[in-house]
Amino acid sequence: MEGFEPIIIAFVCNWCTYTAADLAGTSRLPYPKNVRLIRVMCTGMVDPQYIIKAFLEGADGVLVSGCHPGDCHYISGNFKARRRIKLLKEILPQFGFNQERLILTWIGASDGIQFSEIMRDLVSQIKALGPSQAKLKMVI
Amino acid sequence: MAITAKIGVNEQDVLGALRKFFEDILKIEDIKAILVPQHLPMKNMVMPTLVADPDHLHGVDPLAPAFPMNAAKIVSRLTRKPMGAKIAAVMRPCEIRAFVELVKLKQGSTDEVVIIGIDCLGAYQNKDYARFIEQHGDTSSVIFYQHIMDGHGGQIGGIDLAPACKACEYRVAANADVLIGLYGIDVNDQILIQAQTDVGQDLLAQLDLAEINEPAARQGAVADVIEKCAAYRDEMIAKTREVTESLEKMTAYFAGCVNCYNCRVACPVCYCKECVFVTDVFNHDPSQYLRWANRKGIIKMPTDTLFYHMTRLAHMSTACVGCGQCSNACPNDISVMELFRTIAQDTQKSFDYEAGRSFEEDPPMSVFREDEFAEVVGITN
Ligand code: SF4
Ligand code: SF4
Ligand code: FES
């Protein structure tokens, strides 16, 4: 897919992954501009609807990233998020969205280096999948 | 030992025997009313009725192949708060299964209701039932169950069972207090009555029923129907997967959808009090539509059709009981049930859950374990 620059919508937890992104920034660690961060207070507040909307609007990938198990500031938000991701990975393929386009990761507040690495891996994974059909075809 | 008994049928009057059984239940001191499907006096349509007076059971007909709505919604309405009295409710298996889901979502309670489950012979879609009853009048239900009991299936005079019923393997009620058995029984002679819980046992103990052993033919007869339905279901699911396997095909599948949301109004397990799709969240600013149209060159109006169906799947597919009321309610003949059952099979399986199976199993989205689903975490390649 020559010249394909995916758009990835990332819902990141304020307390960890967002802080890690900040750390990556202050440490001058670059990460691909394909990833558009949306800061949320916890992965537990990411309604499946947000993810579905992003895909239907043509996002090539969606990332949800929060605190490591045991570190969620609201105790269990990330465990609930994990179930919702599991659920969506069952539903998305029937609508033609490869389940690999939806990614869940745990990136802690001090993981600035990991953040920039994971974002690079993420972009290459999505690039390999090619552009989302929702971008190319009319969606009702 | 649970009570297994029979009610006798005189002169092949099966409905009369059932009516008498319901009258007897209603005469029990602590049963103040009974919810039962009944032909309405003003029009022949069959609707759930709440009857407090045994003299008002003339039109009782739980065998009518009519299923205007899933009565789980009614029982939920009657039990969401204490009524101060006990009632009995005659329900089809899919209605009980939907009610189980609602109870777990705290939208109903079993405290004051005795659930009477009846073997389900299947039903027609609403518009087909209206035609059927027009053709056969008062004898329509008798013609129907005789046809089924004689092994000829549900198709009569070009009218066939709803696809949901053809694909339904839950023909015998689980989680009922009392079971009314028809399969494998010579219903022109007797009807099987079985207690499945202590509540049911107490109820039957207050009636003067002749105890019998379960007729030997029953297990086999039940297994036969289930096998046929399961085969239809598997074929239906395979076909549905094929016709919806890409975004393009899925878009074609829903091309006739007008976002009327009837399917979610009819759905017994669409549990939200207010659906987000009818709130102002989706009453977008007029200029927003123009921006979308500008971005894509063309948008279909009303917008958000797939968004609606996918969101509904995310919210309730783990609770879908496959009752088919969504398809029944669709003004544009979209095969909603087919798709929802297909995806529900995946989502329920992935959480090792089965809608309506048990009052004890927690709905998958209401719980979690610390150590699970590691496979959905991380970058895959
Ligand atoms: S989605 Fe359709 S088949 Fe499933 S429970 Fe709701 S109305 Fe019944
Ligand atoms: S009932 Fe039919 S037309 Fe109405 S929203 Fe559901 S699928 Fe669309
Ligand atoms: S606070 Fe970070 S995932 Fe819940």
Side-chain angles (χ1 to χ4, degrees):
Chain A
M1 208 62 61
E2 203 64 21
F4 164 55
E5 287 299 335
I7 294 174
I8 297 165
I9 304 297
F11 296 98
V12 294
C13 164
N14 174 62
W15 304 105
C16 49
T17 307
Y18 186 80
T19 310
D22 221 18
L23 180 61
T26 48
S27 321
R28 300 195 178 269
L29 294 166
Y31 72 90
K33 63 183 187 316
N34 308 71
V35 185
R36 318 282 158 91
L37 298 188
I38 297 177
R39 174 160 62 149
V40 294
M41 288 309 285
C42 173
T43 54
M45 67 157 286
V46 181
D47 191 296
Q49 249 192 315
Y50 304 168
I51 297 168
I52 293 168
K53 176 74 173 169
F55 278 121
L56 290 173
E57 287 294 318
D60 299 295
V62 174
L63 170 75
V64 176
S65 185
C67 311
H68 287 279
D71 289 349
C72 174
H73 287 231
Y74 309 96
I75 301 169
S76 58
N78 49 1
F79 294 133
K80 291 174 187 157
R82 187 169 56 191
R83 282 214 161 201
R84 292 176 194 140
I85 298 289
K86 171 79 183 161
L87 176 77
L88 283 170
K89 279 177 177 281
E90 297 293 332
I91 297 173
L92 288 169
Q94 196 62 51
F95 284 75
F97 299 99
N98 188 322
Q99 59 87 16
E100 287 181 21
R101 292 185 186 276
L102 174 59
I103 294 113
L104 173 68
T105 58
W106 313 133
I107 303 175
S110 56
D111 300 340
I113 298 171
Q114 280 96 321
F115 177 85
S116 105
E117 283 170 7
I118 289 174
M119 292 309 121
R120 275 202 302 273
D121 291 351
L122 173 66
V123 172
S124 68
Q125 168 165 331
I126 302 297
K127 267 191 181 165
L129 292 172
S132 159
Q133 288 299 300
K135 212 184 239 167
L136 309 172
K137 298 259 160 55
M138 181 176 175
V139 176
I140 59 170
Chain B
M1 186 43 203
I3 296 179
T4 297
K6 65 164 190 177
I7 47 180
V9 176
N10 295 327
E11 291 166 19
Q12 308 202 345
D13 184 8
V14 180
L15 288 174
L18 286 169
R19 187 188 321 119
K20 167 82 172 42
F21 179 58
F22 299 144
E23 277 169 11
D24 291 347
I25 290 176
L26 201 43
K27 284 178 192 153
I28 293 174
E29 179 61 29
D30 41 290
I31 304 291
K32 299 298 181 208
I34 186 166
L35 182 80
V36 61
Q38 179 151 208
H39 292 274
L40 298 181
M42 63 298 269
K43 190 154 197 248
N44 222 351
M45 197 59 208
V46 175
M47 284 286 166
T49 57
L50 184 66
V51 183
D53 178 350
D55 287 344
H56 283 87
L57 287 166
H58 305 296
V60 155
D61 192 353
L63 302 180
F67 185 24
M69 66 181 313
N70 187 308
K73 288 174 81 113
I74 304 289
V75 182
S76 151
R77 194 176 280 231
L78 293 170
T79 63
R80 72 189 170 89
K81 283 188 199 164
M83 184 185 256
K86 209 164 196 158
I87 60 167
V90 181
M91 301 167 87
R92 290 177 189 272
C94 62
E95 297 177 312
I96 300 173
R97 291 168 58 238
F99 184 61
V100 168
E101 291 303 303
L102 292 174
V103 169
K104 291 193 279 192
L105 293 162
K106 311 273 183 285
Q107 295 194 5
S109 154
T110 53
D111 291 351
E112 294 180 320
V113 62
V114 182
I115 299 174
I116 301 180
I118 184 159
D119 280 5
C120 187
L121 306 180
Y124 299 135
Q125 293 208 318
N126 287 353
K127 53 183 187 306
D128 292 333
Y129 180 66
R131 280 201 295 142
F132 185 68
I133 201 158
E134 207 163 274
Q135 284 172 19
H136 302 285
D138 286 346
T139 54
S140 61
S141 296
V142 178
I143 291 175
F144 175 75
Y145 74 73
Q146 284 296 359
H147 208 263
I148 298 263
M149 297 321 265
D150 294 346
H152 302 315
Q155 187 176 353
I156 302 172
I159 299 175
D160 202 357
L161 295 182
C165 301
K166 287 198 266 188
C168 177
E169 70 276 41
Y170 302 94
R171 296 303 191 91
V172 174
N175 292 310
D177 297 305
V178 173
L179 177 92
I180 300 178
L182 306 170
Y183 287 114
I185 316 286
D186 178 8
V187 293
N188 289 321
D189 176 50
Q190 61 182 41
I191 297 166
L192 179 76
I193 304 292
Q194 235 166 14
Q196 293 192 323
T197 63
D198 291 346
V199 171
Q201 184 83 359
D202 284 353
L203 186 99
L204 293 190
Q206 296 178 66
L207 299 172
D208 192 17
L209 297 175
E211 295 208 26
I212 54 164
N213 290 324
E214 184 177 298
R218 179 160 167 84
Q219 299 284 329
V222 170
D224 274 358
V225 214
I226 292 178
E227 196 188 312
K228 278 203 195 85
C229 293
Y232 183 94
R233 173 203 64 198
D234 292 344
E235 203 176 304
M236 175 186 93
I237 288 178
K239 216 171 98 205
T240 306
R241 282 195 202 285
E242 202 186 308
V243 298
T244 59
E245 74 197 345
S246 64
L247 187 60
E248 202 172 5
K249 286 184 172 181
M250 190 62 90
T251 307
Y253 197 79
F254 282 113
C257 175
V258 292
N259 293 36
C260 68
Y261 307 139
N262 282 1
C263 44
R264 71 141 181 94
V265 176
C267 178
V269 296
C270 237
Y271 50 83
C272 295
K273 290 289 176 219
E274 188 182 34
C275 176
V276 65
F277 284 89
V278 298
T279 63
D280 273 349
V281 173
F282 284 88
N283 207 359
H284 308 296
D285 197 78
S287 63
Q288 175 73 60
Y289 295 104
L290 189 58
R291 278 201 298 279
W292 280 328
N294 277 332
R295 175 149 63 89
K296 300 212 163 174
I298 175 174
I299 52 168
K300 175 244 166 198
M301 300 293 283
T303 56
D304 302 311
T305 302
L306 286 192
F307 190 19
Y308 158 68
H309 290 288
M310 289 178 84
T311 301
R312 206 162 89 78
L313 282 162
H315 285 171
M316 54 55 68
S317 67
T318 53
C320 173
V321 295
C323 65
Q325 287 298 347
C326 44
S327 292
N328 203 8
C330 179
N332 297 313
D333 284 334
I334 292 167
S335 306
V336 191
M337 175 281 300
E338 283 82 341
L339 180 68
F340 276 62
R341 257 213 96 170
T342 299
I343 292 181
Q345 190 183 57
D346 297 339
T347 57
Q348 294 181 17
K349 198 158 135 227
S350 71
F351 292 102
D352 193 15
Y353 186 79
E354 197 182 293
R357 179 166 60 190
S358 123
F359 282 106
E360 272 75 48
E361 286 171 333
D362 293 309
M365 288 303 121
S366 70
V367 285
F368 59 85
R369 288 203 316 272
E370 291 189 10
D371 185 20
E372 62 178 4
F373 306 131
E375 76 277 9
V376 305
V377 185
I379 309 255
T380 39
N381 65 5

